Structures are given as C-alpha cells and as structure tokens.
Amino acid sequence: MAGEFDLVFEGGGAKGTVFVGALRAFEERGHTARRLVGTSAGAIAATLLAGGYKAAPAPGEEVSEFERAALETDANGRPVFEGFMDIPSAESLMDDPAVLAESLTQRIFQVVDFPGIPDFAEKMMDRWLIRQLMKIAAYRELFSFIELGGLYAGVRFRDWIRSKLALKGLDGLTLKQFFDKTGKDLSLLVTDTTAHELRVLNHRTAPACPVDMAVRMSMSIPFVFQEVAWNRGWGPYQEKGKPVEDLAGHTMVDGGALSNFPLHLVTSNDTAVEAVMGDVSADAAGTMGLLIDETLPVDDCGSPSDDCEDDEKDGLLGDRRRLKSIKRVTRLINTMMEAHDKQVIEAHADVVCRLPAKGYGTTEFDMSDRRKDALIQAGRRAMEAHLDQRGL
C-alpha cells in the first residue's frame, strides 16, 4: 500500500549514487516523501527530490529525471560529478588580498632575505614569484588546502545545483521561498566549525539562506572542498526557544563531520528536535532512513579505479598513489564519513534501509560505468527487499 514517508539520507560522497536505484524502487511502489533530511550526498538527493525531480521513470521512458541529473555527463562523456573536483583558478585565489597577505606562502617569502636587495625590490620579487606559482595547478590545490580548508573550489558543483533548480523554476530561492513554492519540508545539515555546532538548515532555522549555498555547505567534505564562510546576507540562525544567532563569518563544512545520518530529526518529538524541525508530529507519516552500508557487498562491481595506475590524471588526488599525504587525507575522509549515528540506527533498525556500498570510496567520483551501474542496481534491490520486509 502506497504511503507518505519522512526520508533521511546519509552522507557518503560518491557512494550516494546508490540512492538512484533505491529511490526508483521507492517511487515505483507509489510512495512519496513528506519531510526530506540530508547530509552531504544525501543533501543533494533530498534537494533534487524536494525540487520535483522524479526518481521513477515516466511512462514510456527507461531513465528518470532524477537519474539523468545524478548521472549527467559533460561534453566529453565524463561524469559531471568528477568535474566537481575543480582546481581553484589563480584569479579566485588572488582575488582576496586578505587571504593572500595572511597566507603561509606570503609569510615564507617575507622571512626569506636576499642580501643586497632593497626591501621594495624584494616585495616586487615576492609578488612575481607568487604569480608564477599560481600558474601551477598542483600549487593552487596546495594553497587552497592550506588556506581555504580544501583542495577544490566547489564552484562547478554550486553552478550545477543552481542549473538543476533552475530547470524547475527554483533558481535563486532562499529556503523559505523554496518551501513556499514547493511545499516540501527540506532540512540540510552542516557543521559550524567556528561554534562547534551542528546546524540544521531549513525554512524555520535559516529562512534567508539560499538553497544552493545550503547544499554547497552540506557537501563540503573536509579537506576536499573549500570551507564556506556564512554570508551576513543569509540572515541569522534561529531555533525555537533560543536566542537568534548571528553566524556571519562562521566557517561551515560537511554536516557529516558531526552527524552523517540524522535519523533522530524525524523519529523524535522532544523539544530539542522540535526547536529545529518545528511542531510536526513524527508519527503522522512513515519513517525511512537510507543508510549507505559499507559492510554490504555490491555484486559484479569490478575493481575501483583507484586500483589502477593513472599518473596522467590532473590534480593532487589524481596523483594520490604517489603523494602519501593526500592518500592519508582520503583515508581519513572515508573513515570519518563512515562513522554513523549508531545509537539511533540501532534503536530504529526496522525503518533503516541498508544500501550496499562495500569497496566504494567517498571521493570515487570517477567510478567506471560498470561500478556505477552495479551500485545503482544494488540500491534498487536493497530498497525492494526493505519494502517487502515492511509489507510496503
């Protein structure tokens, strides 16, 4: 029997591809979403669904609009998601004089003294050297990593999510405007590293925050994508029963750093949850959590692309077989993103749909078609089995 559900999507970077198959099976059974909650990759899926993207194909079609968006390719036939790992441009890094002036590079050059060369000439030489370094892609990644918290700019992702929202007439909207236009209760999680707090962004808590930037902040995998500073124009953060907070200048990263699977936001009616989720009965709709389970194998998935030598690939992550420091970072990311909210999962195991993703990496955006298709089919089978088990 078809029903309405509160859906919670776990974060997991590239592993979020598994949602494509799972959501197709969910919608093919006639089920719909009431509230949508997501972190990181889950924030992307939740936003697309809330924006009206259908996960089940229309009559006479084989591919849904959700799948087309999630698996979009560029002009060269490469996955769009792979392009999200965009090396910052020299202009973007040198555009902010304050960042450059306070950078480690600038400090090093200031310490180095060239005997016999006047100070004014040394400063000119320093500026020239920095400009030359900024022409090197690998250096720009390193500069971005040290000064801005991540190797990649995330600009291409922001442009992509804007374009997807624009196709539904939802471009440029704040969370409040998005809710008013769609009627969908969307909540995206980010980690405020300035205040050491988990932030739940929705039309109640951050009404003036742009939807595209809320998603961009939620998917900012630490050390991979640049951190985002909260813009004063996005307004304050407000929880029911608490003083309004001015977040201007606060640094935001992936919500998965503190809660990668926030199932408690739709299963609890306590005051702390009500403060961010509103006075909405958790029992008035079904509940389903879509958990990316790295312990469950994916049939016929082949080997990860990381197992192959690829020395010609651009960027530090492309060279991670040789650059041990970057390899350590990606291992840390995978470990962090796999740390689930275990207590909540165990308490509500019956509503958790476990989606297989063993052997897949959080940053494996360049996975082969074979691995991608295998992951999607695994997600579809897992959802069908879960729905059967619940008699849905």
Side-chain angles (χ1 to χ4, degrees):
M1 183 174 63
E4 187 178 47
F5 289 82
D6 290 335
L7 299 182
V8 178
F9 297 87
E10 188 191 20
K15 292 175 287 189
T17 301
V18 74
F19 295 142
V20 172
L23 289 171
R24 175 170 179 162
F26 175 82
E27 287 193 2
E28 285 179 339
R29 297 282 182 102
H31 302 305
T32 58
R34 182 182 66 158
R35 294 187 291 179
L36 298 112
V37 181
T39 299
S40 193
I44 301 172
T47 300
L48 290 176
L49 279 187
Y53 280 82
K54 301 299 183 183
E61 295 187 358
E62 295 184 1
V63 179
S64 71
E65 56 182 356
F66 182 91
E67 183 174 351
R68 281 195 294 271
L71 305 183
E72 186 178 346
T73 56
D74 61 20
N76 298 317
R78 301 182 71 87
V80 168
F81 274 51
E82 183 180 346
F84 292 166
M85 302 176 97
D86 50 341
I87 300 171
S89 67
E91 293 76 14
S92 68
L93 294 178
M94 298 182 70
D95 187 50
D96 189 339
V99 172
L100 196 60
E102 298 172 5
S103 69
L104 181 61
T105 299
Q106 187 69 56
R107 293 176 192 171
I108 290 173
F109 284 161
Q110 289 172 350
V111 171
V112 176
D113 181 53
F114 294 94
I117 299 179
D119 287 346
F120 78 91
E122 275 199 25
K123 290 180 180 178
M124 292 178 60
M125 185 180 297
D126 291 348
R127 288 194 292 270
W128 181 84
L129 286 171
I130 290 176
R131 285 196 296 271
Q132 299 311 304
L133 286 172
M134 286 296 183
K135 294 179 181 179
I136 305 171
Y139 178 78
R140 295 200 302 274
E141 285 182 282
L142 186 61
F143 184 94
S144 180
F145 179 81
I146 294 172
E147 307 298 339
L148 300 172
L151 295 165
Y152 300 104
V155 172
R156 290 182 186 172
F157 170 77
R158 187 189 64 205
D159 291 344
W160 176 84
I161 194 66
R162 282 178 176 172
S163 71
K164 298 302 110 179
L165 291 171
L167 290 175
K168 295 293 185 179
L170 301 170
D171 53 317
L173 300 186
T174 65
L175 286 165
K176 178 63 165 60
Q177 292 168 337
F178 183 89
F179 173 75
D180 290 342
K181 192 163 186 177
T182 65
K184 289 296 184 182
D185 194 330
L186 174 69
S187 295
L188 309 178
L189 273 71
V190 302
T191 297
D192 181 343
T193 61
T194 302
H196 307 160
E197 293 277 354
L198 182 68
R199 304 293 185 182
V200 181
L201 306 183
N202 55 42
H203 66 280
R204 291 170 291 267
T205 62
C209 179
V211 176
D212 60 288
M213 289 309 302
V215 187
R216 168 65 181 87
M217 287 184 280
S218 187
M219 59 75 69
S220 296
I221 302 174
F223 312 126
V224 174
F225 293 104
Q226 291 178 0
E227 303 163 338
V228 178
W230 189 275
N231 188 301
R232 186 174 298 278
W234 300 345
Y237 184 79
Q238 45 203 30
E239 293 186 18
K240 182 180 178 182
K242 292 185 178 181
V244 171
E245 295 182 72
D246 180 6
L247 301 185
H250 283 215
T251 298
M252 305 293 173
V253 299
D254 193 321
L258 289 180
S259 181
N260 208 31
F261 191 54
L263 191 63
H264 67 285
L265 293 178
V266 298
T267 58
S268 173
N269 284 319
D270 66 26
T271 54
V273 170
E274 184 180 321
V276 292
M277 297 299 291
D279 187 13
V280 181
S281 173
D283 302 321
T287 300
M288 185 177 298
L290 284 79
L291 177 71
I292 300 173
D293 193 331
E294 292 83 5
T295 68
L296 298 179
V298 176
D299 295 338
D300 194 31
C301 63
S303 300
S305 55
D306 289 355
D307 288 347
C308 303
E309 292 289 351
D310 193 5
D311 293 344
E312 296 181 358
K313 187 176 178 182
D314 292 334
L316 291 180
L317 281 181
D319 294 334
R320 61 180 171 272
R321 293 184 62 85
R322 297 191 308 254
L323 298 176
K324 294 182 179 179
S325 60
I326 300 304
K327 196 167 185 178
R328 291 191 187 104
V329 168
T330 56
R331 284 175 177 169
L332 174 62
I333 293 165
N334 282 329
T335 300
M336 182 188 71
M337 300 299 286
E338 291 168 11
H340 307 312
D341 304 26
K342 293 183 177 179
Q343 187 173 3
V344 177
I345 294 171
E346 291 173 358
H348 301 279
D350 57 326
V351 301
V352 174
C353 177
R354 294 178 175 271
L355 306 174
K358 184 175 182 178
Y360 284 79
T362 300
T363 57
E364 194 185 341
F365 294 103
D366 59 346
M367 68 178 73
S368 66
D369 288 342
R370 176 183 176 181
R371 284 178 60 74
K372 190 183 304 176
D373 292 342
L375 188 59
I376 292 171
Q377 293 308 314
R380 184 174 183 173
R381 289 191 296 269
M383 176 59 75
E384 289 172 343
H386 178 76
L387 292 172
D388 288 342
Q389 184 179 8
R390 294 176 64 175
L392 301 170

